[in-house]
Amino acid sequence: MKLTTLLTDDGPRVGVRDGDSVRVLPTPETLLQVIEGGREALDDVARRVRDGAVLPLDEAVFGPLLQPPSIRDYLTYENHVTALMTGDVPEGWYTEPGFYFSNPVAVVAPYAPVPIPPGAQRFDFELELGAVVGKAGSDLSVAEARDHILGFTILNDWSARDFQTRELTLPLGPSKSKDTATTLGPWLVTADEFADVWDKDGVLSLTSQVFLNGERTGGDTSAHMSWTFPEMLAYASRGTVVRAGDVLGSGTCGTGCLAELWKTSPDTAPGPLKPGDVVRMETEGIGHIENRLVAGPAVRPVPPARSRRPHSAGSSA
């Protein structure tokens, strides 16, 4: 099943792809609510959507796919990490599938404009694959985790590289550099549709590519991920709870962002994204997303920190 969120005259509605058309669920539940309802809710949607309106794909207006409870974004492509590192890949990278939490309320529709963050000078895209959790769980084994993955979608982790460079000097990881937008979509494709390319070891083999203003800049296959999505989800669930609707991002694939090209091909790489640029990402079996960059708001200044260190002994008051 291929599920999405459509914008209609009656408000957001769940849509289900039917060949070259989209069937619209006539009732107002969100895609997240459907996911939280489990397999029974999905089966119910498949039945009830037959009574909904039918739209040609080119007339459908896509909204943000869903507002997930959380977005964990990983760093699983070794060739991408190697290209960005000045020295050797840190040994800790091979030990566990590290991630950071992105902003779940900043999900952008698959064809909507994306604003450049206030003050950003080196804005970038990141071509990724996203897995969506279908049911809650805790301390899952890898085998159990596979059964908790509902399906897959395209993920663009928009990134302000100049912010990121400053943020990574602190012991916190990225924050405002990843806070403005994450594109998901256009479809949440259930895992059963990938049975022939998702092997028994959890390796998913889907080819993706990215285009900037119509020119291909990179691409890769998810078979190059050093951890599988079940392994990533099992790790995420350790000592905590993962919830239905949570999103796991694969991290940027090889040649899937401008920052990698700036490092490996500085003389020929495109410059940072600017208003008017169009970024298109395609993944087999899922479709494509395409966002145009627009100018963001002006910076609203925040003053620098005030030093609160105590005066040294003997100094004047």
Side-chain angles (χ1 to χ4, degrees):
M1 187 184 299
K2 292 182 171 70
L3 300 134
T4 194
T5 296
L6 301 176
L7 302 181
T8 75
D9 292 340
D10 298 318
R13 291 290 186 271
V14 173
V16 178
R17 184 159 181 177
D18 184 3
D20 293 330
S21 302
V22 187
R23 292 187 175 271
V24 185
L25 196 67
T27 49
E29 60 262 54
T30 66
L31 182 53
L32 179 59
Q33 288 171 324
V34 170
I35 293 168
E36 290 172 335
R39 188 73 249 181
E40 286 187 5
L42 287 173
D43 292 341
D44 187 50
V45 165
R47 288 190 297 270
R48 291 191 293 122
V49 80
R50 299 169 191 159
D51 298 325
V54 181
L55 296 176
L57 274 177
D58 59 2
E59 295 182 14
V61 180
F62 290 76
L65 184 66
L66 78 158
Q67 185 177 321
S70 71
I71 301 175
R72 292 173 173 87
D73 208 357
Y74 291 74
L75 189 63
T76 69
Y77 285 85
E78 187 176 18
N79 47 354
H80 170 69
V81 179
T82 301
L84 289 180
M85 294 299 298
T86 301
D88 294 334
V89 177
E91 191 60 35
W93 182 84
Y94 296 96
T95 304
E96 56 193 23
F99 62 86
Y100 73 93
F101 282 101
S102 192
N103 187 350
V105 301
V107 172
V108 175
Y111 309 112
V114 169
I116 294 175
Q121 301 297 314
R122 293 175 66 79
F123 200 47
D124 196 1
F125 54 78
E126 295 193 36
L127 173 59
E128 304 189 20
L129 192 64
V132 179
V133 177
K135 56 183 178 180
S138 181
D139 290 301
L140 302 171
S141 69
V142 173
E144 290 168 337
R146 179 174 181 137
D147 188 50
H148 281 65
I149 294 174
L150 173 63
F152 303 96
T153 191
I154 304 172
L155 190 156
N156 185 349
D157 174 35
W158 301 93
S159 300
R161 299 301 187 187
D162 43 344
F163 297 177
Q164 186 178 17
T165 298
R166 296 194 299 269
E167 289 167 353
L168 292 181
T169 64
L170 303 174
L172 293 172
S175 53
K176 292 306 291 183
S177 60
K178 308 279 192 170
D179 204 29
T180 291
T182 298
T183 304
L184 298 176
W187 306 100
L188 167 56
V189 184
T190 52
D192 57 291
E193 296 215 12
F194 298 111
D196 58 337
V197 291
W198 199 17
D199 70 20
K200 61 181 179 59
D201 296 320
V203 176
L204 181 67
S205 299
L206 294 177
T207 299
S208 298
Q209 51 187 346
V210 57
F211 300 82
L212 176 58
N213 300 325
E215 296 290 327
R216 186 182 186 278
T217 61
D220 205 345
T221 170
S222 58
H224 290 159
M225 293 170 60
S226 292
W227 286 277
T228 67
F229 280 111
E231 291 165 348
M232 294 154 60
L233 181 54
Y235 180 71
S237 75
R238 185 183 298 172
T240 189
V241 176
V242 292
R243 292 164 293 178
D246 282 352
V247 171
L248 310 180
S250 65
T252 311
C253 66
T255 68
C257 67
L258 293 176
E260 187 175 326
L261 302 181
W262 296 336
K263 188 73 177 291
T264 60
S265 307
D267 296 332
T268 58
L273 296 174
K274 60 187 184 301
D277 284 343
V278 176
V279 178
R280 178 185 175 100
M281 296 180 173
E282 301 175 354
T283 297
E284 63 175 317
I286 299 177
H288 77 277
I289 58 177
E290 184 171 296
N291 302 100
R292 180 180 296 274
L293 279 298
V294 297
V299 174
R300 304 291 295 271
V302 174
R306 301 163 182 78
S307 177
R308 302 300 191 191
R309 288 178 295 183
H311 294 288
S312 58
S315 63
S316 59

